[in-house]
Amino acid sequence: MDYTVEMFFRECAEEGLKCITEGMDLSKHVIEFCFPHELPMQGFIRPGELVLTSAQGGRDNPDIFIRTVQEASADHASAVMFSFPSDIQIPVEAIELAQNMDLPLLLENWERNFTDIQEFVSKAIHEAKTKEYIKLQSRMFNAYFEGKTLVEAVDIISGSLAMEAATADWSMEVLAQSSGFHSKTHEFKIEINGQLLGFLWLQTEDVLPEDINEIIGKYISYPLALWLDSRRVEAMTEIRLRNDLAIRLCREKVSNDLTREAGRMGISLDKTFVAVHIVPKTVSTELRTIALHSSEIIRQFTDIGLQEKITIIAGEEVGRFTVFIEYTLTGNAGIDRILQQMFDSIHPFLPDVPLYAGISYPFHDDSNFTKAYQEALITSSYCCD
């Protein structure tokens, strides 16, 4: 919410503040800044500034008031507030000129200090602006605890900031966006206790407020993080389930329970697969790196499957990845292409580590998962040697 001349006048009228330009709509004059000026002032006033002036020299030279109005209007001041001894009068010509220029003129008691007025107005501007952000934060908290979706949360942000918005997870995968969002022009990290949960993207051609980082950090980041953290936990849980499924398929005979468990993840085992065993040639410190990033690597493997429109079941154990890749009509050429994409997913985390892969023959019978895994394991051991 903007702080206007009308609000300032209403709050200070009881202390003697007067408006000497009658008939103006003071509510449309927004105060962005407040600062004292004396002539010459043109070029020093910021647009939207409430100009405080004692019109020095005005007692002997009434043209001082006319010049003040002209220069303040030229710099798009929101209003001019005079303060001088009661025996000085503002010329009618200056008042009429201000009315023609739609520039409100205010008259304050001479006893009131400009420093106090500056402090009062600056605080009021801040409170007026943060009031809207506090309301935004409250709406987001309410939406989260009412079970609203992330799309609805982004719509609240977009509407409150009057710009298109989107949010993405830590891997920059878009999770939700407002209807008019096309591309980001500004990016902000959403973090809690130093942990990156995702990003807020804004799209606007306008200049952002100077305090936009404070606004997002103080009023938007935490409630948005509630959704992002929920999504992160869901994603991590799904990755752990997929990891466990892959490891169990290496060791267990496929049972009805295992088939149903795969089905709950949207995975059908009734397809033709090949088993792949990927072995980084690592030392112990690199094993810790793999353990730290295995969930992200497995997520990227799963994304490769989505892009290729095939099923990929991946798991990690002791720094090694076992992957069951759906075998399609593209045959070995398709497997080679997918395997290269998987290597590309691992290399950012282990840039200087050689990778070896053993591949099984294609199989369809669900009883052959363990057999195919053994084939891939043996083949990979030959590669390592």
Side-chain angles (χ1 to χ4, degrees):
M1 182 175 65
D2 293 324
Y3 186 67
T4 65
V5 175
E6 188 272 336
M7 296 166 70
F8 173 64
F9 177 70
R10 187 175 66 245
E11 291 167 353
C12 299
E14 291 184 2
E15 299 181 22
L17 182 66
K18 298 176 182 178
C19 179
I20 56 179
T21 44
E22 298 179 354
M24 285 189 178
D25 182 3
L26 302 182
S27 64
K28 70 178 185 179
H29 293 268
V30 176
I31 302 175
E32 298 284 354
F33 314 98
C34 179
F35 202 78
H37 293 277
E38 300 297 338
L39 291 175
M41 61 180 70
Q42 188 171 348
F44 298 97
I45 300 171
R46 293 164 291 184
E49 190 167 291
L50 172 61
V51 175
L52 310 180
T53 182
S54 60
Q56 290 181 6
R59 184 194 304 274
D60 301 320
N61 183 5
D63 286 345
I64 293 290
F65 293 98
I66 294 175
R67 283 184 57 197
T68 298
V69 170
Q70 290 172 332
E71 295 190 17
S73 178
D75 279 353
H76 307 289
S78 62
V80 175
M81 194 195 82
F82 293 103
S83 180
F84 42 69
S86 59
D87 62 330
I88 299 177
Q89 299 296 318
I90 300 176
V92 173
E93 294 84 358
I95 297 173
E96 290 176 347
L97 178 63
Q99 287 176 320
N100 291 334
M101 292 181 167
D102 195 29
L103 178 67
L105 299 183
L106 307 174
L107 182 60
E108 180 58 285
N109 289 329
W110 173 241
E111 293 80 10
R112 195 168 181 196
N113 191 291
F114 278 171
T115 303
D116 294 338
I117 295 171
Q118 264 189 283
E119 183 179 344
F120 174 85
V121 172
S122 297
K123 183 179 178 181
I125 292 170
H126 179 73
E127 289 179 350
K129 289 183 176 180
T130 56
K131 184 176 182 180
E132 289 300 308
Y133 300 132
I134 292 171
K135 186 187 297 184
L136 163 61
Q137 184 185 59
S138 178
R139 288 180 63 197
M140 291 187 68
F141 277 130
N142 289 339
Y144 178 79
F145 291 114
E146 289 170 5
K148 303 294 185 182
T149 66
L150 186 55
V151 173
E152 290 170 297
V154 170
D155 284 340
I156 291 173
I157 295 171
S158 175
S160 298
L161 298 182
M163 60 188 75
E164 301 299 333
T167 187
D169 65 13
W170 68 93
S171 66
M172 293 196 171
E173 178 185 350
V174 176
L175 301 176
Q177 61 187 53
S178 56
S179 58
F181 184 88
H182 301 295
S183 61
K184 63 179 178 180
T185 55
H186 304 278
E187 178 179 282
F188 303 90
K189 292 180 179 179
I190 304 300
E191 298 176 309
I192 295 295
N193 297 326
Q195 181 179 12
L196 177 65
L197 298 178
F199 299 88
L200 173 65
W201 294 337
L202 299 179
Q203 174 188 313
T204 179
E205 299 302 320
D206 298 330
V207 178
L208 293 178
E210 292 182 1
D211 57 348
I212 187 64
N213 286 304
E214 179 186 353
I215 292 167
I216 290 174
K218 191 172 182 180
Y219 301 103
I220 297 177
S221 185
Y222 185 70
L224 183 57
L226 294 176
W227 274 279
L228 294 178
D229 192 51
S230 294
R231 292 294 293 263
R232 182 185 66 85
V233 171
E234 291 171 6
M236 295 299 291
T237 300
E238 181 179 353
I239 288 170
R240 282 195 294 269
L241 290 173
R242 283 178 171 269
N243 186 91
D244 292 348
L245 176 65
I247 300 305
R248 289 181 65 187
L249 287 172
C250 295
R251 297 172 178 167
E252 299 179 19
K253 182 178 179 181
V254 176
S255 62
N256 290 336
D257 288 342
L258 196 55
T259 301
R260 281 194 294 269
E261 185 176 323
R264 283 194 289 269
M265 288 180 266
I267 296 173
S268 171
L269 302 180
D270 188 24
K271 296 179 179 180
T272 299
F273 290 92
V274 295
V276 178
H277 192 64
I278 301 174
V279 183
K281 191 173 183 180
T282 60
V283 296
S284 58
T285 54
E286 290 160 345
L287 286 175
R288 288 196 292 271
T289 300
I290 295 173
L292 182 63
H293 298 289
S294 62
S295 293
E296 174 59 17
I297 293 170
I298 292 171
R299 189 194 67 80
Q300 292 188 33
F301 286 0
T302 304
D303 287 347
I304 292 170
L306 294 174
Q307 292 164 11
E308 298 285 340
K309 297 182 179 179
I310 61 172
T311 298
I312 289 180
I313 310 168
E316 178 271 334
E317 191 174 42
V318 198
R320 301 181 175 198
F321 295 91
T322 300
V323 189
F324 296 100
I325 304 173
E326 183 180 349
Y327 192 80
T328 63
L329 295 177
T330 57
N332 292 337
I335 295 296
D336 289 343
R337 186 184 70 255
I338 292 168
L339 190 56
Q340 184 58 56
Q341 293 180 57
M342 291 181 172
F343 280 10
D344 292 342
S345 297
I346 298 173
H347 277 310
F349 304 104
L350 298 169
D352 302 316
V353 176
L355 299 173
Y356 302 98
I359 305 176
S360 74
Y361 288 107
F363 67 95
H364 182 80
D365 189 340
D366 60 15
S367 66
N368 285 331
F369 277 96
T370 54
K371 179 181 177 181
Y373 164 69
Q374 291 297 328
E375 288 179 4
L377 183 63
I378 292 170
T379 307
S380 66
S381 65
Y382 289 142
C383 294
C384 295
D385 295 338

